[in-house]
Every structure is written in C-alpha cells, then in structure tokens.
Amino acid sequence: MSPKLISAPLAAAIAQEAAGQTGTPLREAATLGVLVGAGYSAREIAGFTGAQWDRIELRLALLDLADAGKGAIHEGRLPVDLAGCIARLSEPNQQLMLNRWLRGDFRNARHAERYALAIHGDEQPQVSF
C-alpha cells in the first residue's frame, strides 16, 4: 500500500463530492485525480463511493484525453465512456479515433469502444516467452 497524503475520511468526502458532480465528467475526473495524487487507487476510491472501480478508472482516464476530445465531451459530441476508452490510446490514435467518431464512421458508441480497445491491445508491448 502506498502512503496516503490525506486522511481516509477526507478522501471519502472528496470522493463523494466527485460522485455528486454528475454531468461534469471532466471536473469529476480532476477531483478523482486529486485522490490518486494523494496515494489512493481506483479500487480504494470506489470503496468510498460505492461505484465500480472500472468506472472510476474510466473517469481517471479522461485526464489523459487530448484537448480535442475534452472539447468534444464539453460540446456533447463525444460520449463519456467512449472518451475514456479513447483516452487510453497514444496521442496519434486518440486523434484517429476522435476524427473517425466525429465523422460518423462507427455504427454506435459501443462499436467505437470495441475498436478503441482493439487499438489499445495493439499498442501494448507483446510478451514473449
């Protein structure tokens, strides 16, 4: 376990505040990022809010989203869950996915998420034995 820079009760209050920021996913991500910076994991943060840890990780991923993606979220042109998948990609692939999404190249958000996850898998180093 990593050392915590703020107490658990304060971290829980911050996590609850973040969870209450519905409709502002980028602000929620920034608030959750404070907790990560203070030494808390997504699983620990999820324990404070009752949310699934993978939802917390998806929100935290938004911190790595290219500015164009953040703008598209703000404008309502990019679904938040898809943005979280795109944010896990390299900068060039984020741009590729964002351009394709905005151009309408996917049947729906789930189709685009699967595509982003496939790209993410391709970007990961291959382990050989």
Side-chain angles (χ1 to χ4, degrees), residues 26 60-73 78 82-103 106 112 115-117 119-120 123:
L26 296 171
L60 289 167
L62 296 178
L63 297 173
D64 297 325
L65 188 62
D67 289 342
K70 291 175 182 175
I73 290 173
L78 180 63
L82 174 56
C85 292
I86 291 173
R88 294 177 174 162
L89 303 175
S90 65
E91 181 85 22
N93 280 330
Q94 284 190 35
Q95 284 304 135
L96 171 82
M97 281 296 301
L98 183 59
N99 290 339
R100 290 198 63 199
W101 172 257
L102 295 175
R103 220 176 28 229
F106 299 101
Y115 195 83
L117 292 171
I119 293 172
H120 179 67
E123 288 183 336

Side-chain angles (χ1 to χ4, degrees), residues 13-83:
I14 292 170
Q16 290 297 326
E17 175 66 24
Q21 295 174 348
T22 57
T24 57
L26 296 171
R27 185 176 299 157
E28 180 184 0
T31 304
L32 294 172
V34 169
L35 295 176
V36 171
Y40 289 91
S41 70
R43 289 184 189 271
E44 290 171 313
I45 296 168
F48 295 140
T49 64
Q52 296 292 321
W53 68 270
D54 55 340
R55 182 192 176 284
I56 301 296
E57 282 193 343
L58 209 57
R59 283 296 189 268
L60 289 167
L62 296 178
L63 297 173
D64 297 325
L65 188 62
D67 289 342
K70 291 175 182 175
I73 290 173
H74 183 69
E75 295 166 1
R77 298 184 311 144
L78 180 63
V80 176
D81 287 346
L82 174 56

